[in-house]
Amino acid sequence: DAGVTQSPTHLIKTRGQQVTLRCSPKSGHDTVSWYQQALGQGPQFIFQYYEEEERQRGNFPDRFSGHQFPNYSSELNVNALLLGDSALYLCASSYRLTGDNTEAFFGQGTRLTVV
Amino acid sequence: AQSVSQHNHHVILSEAASLELGCNYSYGGTVNLFWYVQYPGQHLQLLLKYFSGDPLVKGIKGFEAEFIKSKFSFNLRKPSVQWSDTAEYFCAVNRRNAGNMLTFGGGTRLMVKP
């Protein structure tokens, strides 16, 4: 049973560029959340997708956008990259119908470095 | 908005020592509480969770945590740590009936000396 998979594992981009990160949820899960983990800090919630729509959003600018596909996989897009966007980006999946009382499973993350 | 505080940023223990990591949250409503662990080079894994019922919850690998509602705390404990417990530990909460958006603390990096 595949867990949450993310690609790529590492990425280096230049300021001002755009980046797309990808996530495949754990088998049977229909909800995908994205988190940003800066060095030495805990993960911060970016947004959550369910039924191909953004359902919740954290305190991140519109440069951060996403998409969910019919197979439940998801993409995170960041435009106009800033040095401060350098971080580990984590994808977490869960099953919506279990509501809040559900465990989120995390992928290994994509390490983004902006130079 | 809710927030989570983990007061110990770095903890160094010898094997067989007892562990207690503090976690406090600020939110007046009903919450679910979690402890996640991140071993070196690995993904975040759930150690234990509290949704309701007995405030003392037991998780994997001998860890337990106690929810004290009056103190807004959910401290993690282990009676005797092992070298393999070296990892970073994150406390997290989500608000009941508000989606499962997790708010994480800043993490505690634990090093266990053999």
Side-chain angles (χ1 to χ4, degrees), chain A residues 49-100:
Chain A
Y49 276 82
Y50 170 68
E51 289 187 330
E52 303 179 48
E53 289 189 17
E54 183 183 295
R55 300 293 179 167
Q56 286 186 286
R57 190 177 183 92
N59 189 25
F60 279 81
D62 292 346
R63 298 187 296 109
F64 289 77
S65 63
H67 190 77
Q68 186 180 34
F69 299 93
N71 67 353
Y72 308 120
S73 68
S74 177
E75 289 181 349
L76 163 66
N77 301 293
V78 187
N79 293 324
L81 284 167
L82 303 173
L83 295 179
D85 295 330
S86 296
L88 181 68
Y89 289 84
L90 298 170
C91 173
S93 73
S94 56
Y95 183 52
R96 182 80 166 189
L97 284 185
T98 52
D100 306 327

Side-chain angles (χ1 to χ4, degrees), chain A residues 1-5 24-30 71-72 93-95 105:
Chain A
D1 179 23
V4 179
T5 58
S24 292
K26 180 178 169 64
S27 178
H29 285 182
D30 57 7
N71 67 353
Y72 308 120
S93 73
S94 56
Y95 183 52
F105 287 78

